[in-house]
Amino acid sequence: MQIKINKSSLELAQGDITQQDTDAIVNAANPTLLGGGGVDGAIHRAAGPQLLEECRTLGGCNTGDAKITRGYRLKAKHVIHTVGPVYHREGARAAGLLASCYRRSLEVARENGLKSIAFPSISTGAYGYPVQEAAPIALQTVIDYLKDHPEIELVRFVLFDRHTYEAYEEALKRISAT
Ligand code: ADP
């Protein structure tokens, strides 16, 4: 599914984010930035050991913030590492922190002159955020950002499994209809 926000495109795809050829891919990292399971492990495996070397120099990352590295063996030239909220730990703060992940990642992309960026579904794996709640927050935050920043030309959500893809599709249809 694809929609236009002025001249920018917002796309939903089902697949593996490590294979994307966007200027940057976003990693759903943990605060150490030293690797982990899920999409984080997959990105480090695909990028090679130099990614971890660069991550060691960054001094970690706060929940809701984002930091950029090179992409090494990935097709994407950059990885933007963001730390999503652990759903059950953050309570009422979770939604704001999740939105901040998407906004800060886009800000970092824009500061570095990047035009296309691929996101996974942040926090909806090991961090336990229900995807039906996370999807509308993710999409609305990106749409609001693209309205104000046309220099980002493409945002692609790369959803790993059918269930997650369908939750995002459902949420995007609902947002588009309003
Ligand atoms: P978090 O700790 O932020 O919850 P996870 O990596 O556990 O991060 O899960 C986030 C989402 O990323 C989940 O929907 C998971 O299925 C998905 N995912 C796992 N591997 C990949 C991949 N290679 N490409 C895209 N998404 C992936």
Side-chain angles (χ1 to χ4, degrees), residues 10 134-145 147 157 175 178:
L10 171 58
I137 295 166
L139 291 164
Q140 193 63 58
T141 304
V142 168
I143 288 168
D144 290 347
Y145 194 87
K147 282 181 183 160
F157 282 87
I175 291 169
T178 58

Side-chain angles (χ1 to χ4, degrees), residues 15-18 28-29 37-40 42 84 120-128 158-161 164:
D16 180 350
I17 202 164
T18 66
V39 71
D40 194 3
S121 179
I122 296 163
S123 281
T124 65
Y127 280 6
V158 181
L159 294 329
F160 203 47
D161 55 83
T164 304

Side-chain angles (χ1 to χ4, degrees), residues 99-115:
S100 175
C101 288
Y102 288 96
R103 204 177 310 112
R104 282 290 303 135
S105 296
L106 290 162
E107 277 171 12
V108 167
R110 197 174 63 91
E111 284 162 11
N112 285 274
L114 309 185
K115 301 203 171 307

Side-chain angles (χ1 to χ4, degrees), residues 130-170:
V131 67
Q132 273 76 10
E133 284 181 44
I137 295 166
L139 291 164
Q140 193 63 58
T141 304
V142 168
I143 288 168
D144 290 347
Y145 194 87
L146 292 177
K147 282 181 183 160
D148 291 339
H149 301 285
E151 44 303 10
I152 302 276
E153 294 170 3
L154 169 66
V155 174
R156 181 182 295 145
F157 282 87
V158 181
L159 294 329
F160 203 47
D161 55 83
R162 188 90 213 136
H163 168 74
T164 304
Y165 178 85
E166 283 172 358
Y168 275 72
E169 188 180 51
E170 185 65 29

